[in-house]
Amino acid sequence: MARNEEKAQSMLNRFITMKSEEKKKPKERRPFLASECRDLSDADKWRQQIMREIGRKVAEIQNEGLGEHRLRDLNDEINKLIREKVHWEKRIVELGGKDGNIVDVPNPSGHGPGYRYFGAAKKLPGVKELFEKPPELRKRRSRYDIYKRIDVSYYGYRDDEDGVLEKVERGAEERIRAESVAEWVRLEEIEKEAWKMEEDVVMEERRERERGMEEEKEKEFVVHVSLPDEKEFEKMVLEKKKRELLSKYASEELLE
């Protein structure tokens, strides 16, 4: 619905403009093709006219309140005028004019000037996204990239070059040395005390053994008993075996 209203308004504006131009003195129309122009001054005049039209339309397209369809139409008209301007500039060169003011608009397809967006047309749906840069994806560093940045400083080989580490380590070294000496003295004292206690224990045990030996000597006594010789010992063994055999095989009466 809005599109129809805009078209109707545009047609009404063109009709009013046409009627007002009819009342005025008829103007010289610009040639449809630049190749039809044979005069260099005329070619430059038509180029200047196109430049003014482009300027007016570029100023008009800055108004965001014109509506989407009017903005698109204006942008199309501007691009059409730019292409026409390029043709007139080429014609000027062909007629012997200078090409210092000729500016080619790049086209991604490589065929003639490209399509461009101006003013509020850059914010139209589907166009705004073209001007937004995609978010840059952070590239993940590879193992090679990580190791490439590692040098001798990473391993601490240059920590003592500025002298700061030496000053810090000197104080720490003196403190650790003093603590180590104090610990060594304390351990020496403990070891001496332990040796002394061990010697006292050994001496006490020795005195205890000596006292025990003296007491054992006092309790000792000698018993004089005659021991049997070898023959008597054999006789005693035979008698014992004889009794064992009799007790095993003889009756009680026989034993008596």
Side-chain angles (χ1 to χ4, degrees):
M1 191 68 178
R3 173 66 171 173
N4 296 333
E5 291 179 358
E6 291 177 2
K7 284 186 176 181
Q9 184 67 29
S10 177
M11 292 176 64
L12 178 60
N13 292 335
R14 291 176 184 176
F15 178 77
I16 295 172
T17 303
M18 184 178 64
K19 287 297 184 181
S20 61
E21 289 179 354
E22 287 179 356
K23 295 179 181 179
K24 296 179 182 179
K25 184 179 179 180
K27 295 182 180 180
E28 187 179 0
R29 294 178 60 86
R30 185 170 65 237
F32 182 75
L33 297 176
S35 58
E36 295 177 357
C37 183
R38 303 297 184 207
D39 186 71
L40 178 59
S41 60
D42 290 341
D44 187 65
K45 180 182 66 175
W46 300 130
R47 175 181 176 276
Q48 293 296 331
Q49 186 186 66
I50 294 172
M51 293 289 291
R52 288 192 294 270
E53 292 180 9
I54 292 174
R56 288 196 300 270
K57 292 183 181 296
V58 169
E60 185 180 359
I61 203 173
Q62 305 300 323
N63 185 6
E64 298 182 5
L66 295 177
E68 178 181 350
H69 300 288
R70 178 55 182 160
L71 290 173
R72 291 186 184 275
D73 291 339
L74 273 174
N75 201 78
D76 292 339
E77 293 171 6
I78 293 172
N79 279 274
K80 182 180 178 181
L81 288 171
I82 290 175
R83 289 193 296 270
E84 188 175 355
K85 179 179 74 73
V86 171
H87 293 308
W88 282 105
E89 288 173 347
K90 291 181 179 179
R91 184 57 179 167
I92 290 172
V93 175
E94 292 173 356
L95 294 174
K98 296 182 179 181
D99 59 350
N101 294 327
I102 298 176
V103 179
D104 291 332
V105 181
N107 184 7
S109 64
H111 303 287
Y115 192 88
R116 302 176 64 184
Y117 290 93
F118 300 88
K122 294 180 179 180
K123 300 180 181 180
L124 293 174
V127 179
K128 184 178 179 181
E129 291 76 7
L130 299 176
F131 294 92
E132 293 178 352
K133 293 183 178 180
E136 295 182 1
L137 298 177
R138 187 176 180 181
K139 184 180 179 182
R140 185 176 181 182
R141 291 191 300 171
S142 62
R143 188 180 295 273
Y144 171 76
D145 295 332
I146 295 174
Y147 284 127
K148 187 170 62 175
R149 298 177 179 271
I150 294 178
D151 54 8
V152 293
S153 300
Y154 177 81
Y155 297 100
Y157 293 133
R158 293 180 178 174
D159 291 347
D160 54 350
E161 290 185 357
D162 54 359
V164 177
L165 183 62
E166 184 179 357
K167 295 178 182 179
V168 175
E169 288 183 346
R170 186 183 297 115
E173 184 179 358
E174 292 176 356
R175 184 179 66 257
I176 294 173
R177 184 183 291 110
E179 293 175 355
S180 299
V181 170
E183 183 67 15
W184 179 80
V185 171
R186 187 178 68 85
L187 293 176
E188 283 291 322
E189 294 294 333
I190 293 174
E191 188 175 358
K192 289 180 181 180
E193 189 70 21
W195 275 106
K196 185 178 180 182
M197 292 177 63
E198 186 176 357
E199 289 178 357
D200 293 343
V201 171
V202 171
M203 293 299 295
E204 184 66 24
E205 290 179 352
R206 183 179 297 175
R207 286 193 292 268
E208 289 291 334
R209 285 198 302 271
E210 290 176 355
R211 285 196 297 268
M213 291 174 64
E214 291 177 358
E215 292 177 357
E216 288 294 332
K217 287 180 180 179
E218 293 177 358
K219 293 180 181 180
E220 285 182 356
F221 63 93
V222 180
V223 179
H224 300 280
V225 180
S226 59
L227 298 175
D229 56 5
E230 186 177 354
K231 290 183 178 181
E232 291 178 353
F233 186 74
E234 291 178 354
K235 184 178 179 181
M236 292 172 63
V237 172
L238 289 174
E239 289 293 335
K240 183 178 179 181
K241 289 184 177 181
K242 182 178 178 181
R243 286 195 300 270
E244 289 177 356
L245 291 173
L246 289 174
S247 63
K248 186 175 182 179
Y249 297 105
S251 61
E252 295 180 358
E253 295 177 357
L254 183 60
L255 291 174
E256 290 177 359

